[in-house]
Amino acid sequence: MPFKLASFTVAAVAAATTSGTPPPAEEEEYYSSWSLFLVCILLTLSLWTSYYLQIKRIRAVHETLVSIFAGMTVGLIVRLAPGTMIREMLTFKHTLFFNLLLPPIILNSGYELKQENFFRNFGSIIIFAFFGTFISAVGVGVLVYIYSFLGLESLDLTLLECLTFGSTLSATDPVTILAIFNQYKVDPKLYTVIFGESLLNDAVSIVMYETLSRFHGTEVYLSSIFHGIGIFLLSFSVSMALGVSFGLGMSLLLKHSYLNHYPSIESCLVALCAYTCYFFSNGLSMSGIVSLLFCGITLKHYAYHTMSRRTQRASKSLFSTLAQLSENFIFIYLGMALFTSAPVYVKPLFITITTVAVVFTRYAAVFPLSEGINLFQKHARGQRSEELPHSYQMMLFWAGLRGAVGVALAAGFKGPNAQILRTTVLVVVVLTVLFFGGTTARMLEVLGIRTGVEDDGASSSDDE
């Protein structure tokens, strides 16, 4: 009987797919179960691989690379298999990414932030996050526009489309590199600058993308540039204020109530406060990432000490567990998306030019900004040693691999070239993760960067 039911289900879905009508709820549930089964198997494989790599002390390969390759393998199998239901369910969806996968990572980053190191290097982080992202976005946009203007692959892109495209590819995501840094215990200053830049960089690129999208379909004048900068600064500052306000509000609520007598309710309210802040900020067309990041920082700094011991442990464990699952899922998702997203509009030369532009603009942003920071520290503060020596600059450049934020933003592209641009962003992201992420351990050795550095003194003020 179960075999007959399954056969009937497959036949019904196949008929529904060919006729163009949506499948019944029972059949959709059947295929969604198989899709989730595949994802769970891949997540389990990724985590077991991580365990094996750690006990064998194999640092050259990281679990994120395994996740991408596993996702690519399954995506290729699903692509070649008959039927389209599972493929559609495993296709990268930006709503799923922004509403389910990204918030745990940002929240855990803010909650586990080593605040002393972060604010000590805050100037460098802000310079790389704002000016570095701007140089990268504008640089990629202009180079792609010049290539489009040459008409080599019959691409007809406007300058605004190219700048929007550049803003999606300005979002760095050095999860792999930071995980390897953790294993090697790399110098805390270098770790903090890369970590802080990646956190704020994602928020800056999203706000930049949304600002440019508002001008889509309109004439762009010189005044539009100042208008765009005004929208960007307003969005960022309001988002930050919202995050701090939510964090302070929860801190006061915990301080002036007896919730610490009810740890299960207290834990739920802390998590709900952060997620409410994220969705409220997005609902106001602000940056949910900025709000969530500063909400997490504020919760850890002010609310943590008023929580019960059980809630302190539960919140740290819950946020870190959700963040790790989300990170692994994102890389599996990206690997599968290479094949499940039906990348039929591939322009090889355009992908090559874009990849070169991404690497070149990262180089053009990191080294001049680093030298500027060194000069300022030397002349304004009389610092004798370089703030960012050449080896640190090289690792900052190497940490410029792109991530899933760019792929999710690319889902919002409009116009006749939208599919080509989406495919290009996806391929460039996977290429940079595989190349830069896969060679990080070797680069640490080549550059002679200090490893095995303990950072007990700079841990968060709240470690138990």
Side-chain angles (χ1 to χ4, degrees):
M1 188 68 180
F3 176 75
K4 289 183 179 178
L5 178 62
S7 302
F8 169 76
T9 303
V10 174
V13 172
T17 305
T18 53
S19 65
T21 58
E26 294 83 0
E27 283 76 17
E28 191 173 349
E29 183 182 349
Y30 172 81
Y31 274 95
S32 65
S33 297
W34 275 108
S35 304
L36 291 171
F37 168 76
L38 285 173
V39 170
C40 288
I41 289 293
L42 289 173
L43 280 171
T44 305
L45 173 67
S46 172
L47 293 170
W48 269 107
T49 305
S50 174
Y51 165 72
Y52 178 80
L53 293 173
Q54 289 186 45
I55 62 170
K56 294 294 183 181
R57 300 186 183 278
I58 301 172
R59 293 170 172 171
V61 181
H62 193 256
E63 65 190 79
T64 52
L65 302 179
V66 177
S67 297
I68 285 186
F69 279 114
M72 288 167 64
T73 304
V74 172
L76 179 60
I77 294 169
V78 170
R79 178 76 179 170
L80 297 175
T84 59
M85 277 297 293
I86 291 184
R87 191 175 81 203
E88 288 173 5
M89 289 180 177
L90 292 177
T91 301
F92 191 95
K93 296 178 178 64
H94 72 287
T95 51
L96 175 66
F97 174 78
F98 279 119
N99 292 334
L100 188 66
L101 298 177
L102 187 60
I105 298 173
I106 301 299
L107 175 58
N108 186 61
S109 298
Y111 203 69
E112 292 294 331
L113 189 70
K114 294 184 176 179
Q115 296 171 14
E116 186 180 338
N117 272 339
F118 181 79
F119 289 107
R120 185 188 300 149
N121 297 285
F122 193 65
S124 301
I125 290 169
I126 286 290
I127 288 170
F128 285 119
F130 281 87
F131 294 102
T133 306
F134 179 79
I135 292 169
S136 178
V138 174
V140 171
V142 169
L143 290 173
V144 167
Y145 179 70
I146 293 170
Y147 172 76
S148 168
F149 186 75
L150 296 175
L152 295 178
E153 286 182 309
S154 303
L155 278 173
D156 185 19
L157 298 170
T158 65
L159 180 60
L160 186 63
E161 277 183 312
C162 292
L163 290 174
T164 308
F165 177 69
S167 69
T168 63
L169 282 172
S170 63
T172 61
D173 186 19
V175 172
T176 313
I177 287 178
L178 293 176
I180 293 171
F181 277 16
N182 261 332
Q183 290 177 358
Y184 276 86
K185 297 187 184 301
V186 171
D187 187 4
K189 178 191 280 189
L190 177 61
Y191 179 93
T192 303
V193 172
I194 292 176
F195 175 70
E197 184 215 355
S198 69
L199 275 181
L200 293 179
N201 164 276
D202 284 349
V204 170
S205 60
I206 290 172
V207 175
M208 191 182 296
Y209 170 84
E210 290 173 348
T211 303
L212 289 167
S213 297
R214 296 187 187 187
F215 295 100
H216 185 77
T218 62
E219 289 291 330
V220 179
Y221 303 101
L222 184 63
S223 59
S224 303
I225 298 173
F226 297 102
H227 184 207
I229 292 171
I231 294 173
F232 172 82
L233 293 175
L234 178 67
S235 177
F236 196 92
S237 55
V238 171
S239 302
M240 184 170 65
L242 280 172
V244 173
S245 300
F246 269 82
L248 288 175
M250 178 51 65
S251 304
L252 290 170
L253 182 66
L254 293 178
K255 184 177 181 180
H256 298 290
S257 69
Y258 296 100
L259 278 169
N260 56 354
H261 295 165
Y262 306 94
S264 56
I265 298 176
E266 187 182 32
S267 302
C268 293
L269 287 174
V270 170
L272 282 170
C273 167
Y275 275 80
T276 304
C277 172
Y278 177 77
F279 292 120
F280 180 66
S281 182
N282 281 341
L284 293 177
S285 298
M286 296 294 119
S287 172
I289 287 186
V290 176
S291 298
L292 188 58
L293 172 63
F294 283 94
C295 181
I297 293 172
T298 309
L299 282 173
K300 189 64 178 292
H301 190 72
Y302 293 104
Y304 189 84
H305 300 289
T306 58
M307 298 176 189
S308 63
R309 183 72 66 183
R310 185 174 161 187
T311 301
Q312 289 176 347
R313 294 197 190 101
S315 59
K316 291 183 81 170
S317 300
L318 175 67
F319 296 159
S320 62
T321 302
L322 288 176
Q324 183 163 10
L325 281 172
S326 295
E327 284 173 2
N328 282 280
F329 188 20
I330 284 169
F331 284 103
I332 290 169
Y333 215 15
L334 285 176
M336 290 191 295
L338 269 178
F339 298 98
T340 58
S341 293
V344 291
Y345 301 99
V346 176
K347 302 277 189 183
L349 189 56
F350 181 58
I351 291 172
T352 305
I353 293 294
T354 304
T355 307
V356 171
V358 165
V359 175
F360 173 75
T361 53
R362 178 67 181 176
Y363 186 93
V366 168
F367 287 92
L369 291 177
S370 299
E371 289 302 325
I373 292 169
N374 287 340
L375 281 173
F376 175 79
Q377 294 288 353
K378 182 178 180 181
H379 294 291
R381 296 190 175 180
Q383 187 171 309
R384 294 185 179 181
S385 60
E386 286 188 322
E387 180 72 9
L388 295 169
H390 183 72
S391 59
Y392 284 22
Q393 295 177 30
M394 276 301 298
M395 278 314 304
L396 277 162
F397 164 69
W398 218 253
L401 46 91
R402 272 41 184 171
V405 170
V407 178
L409 290 175
F413 285 150
K414 298 172 185 175
N417 298 306
Q419 188 57 47
I420 296 170
L421 297 178
R422 284 191 205 107
T423 303
T424 303
V425 170
L426 178 59
V427 175
V428 169
V429 165
V430 173
L431 286 175
T432 56
V433 170
L434 291 177
F435 179 76
F436 290 106
T439 55
T440 301
R442 179 62 184 153
M443 279 301 294
L444 285 173
E445 296 174 11
V446 170
L447 295 172
I449 291 174
R450 284 196 310 154
T451 55
V453 182
E454 294 296 336
D455 189 29
D456 297 330
S459 60
S460 312
S461 56
D462 25 61
D463 285 342
E464 295 168 336

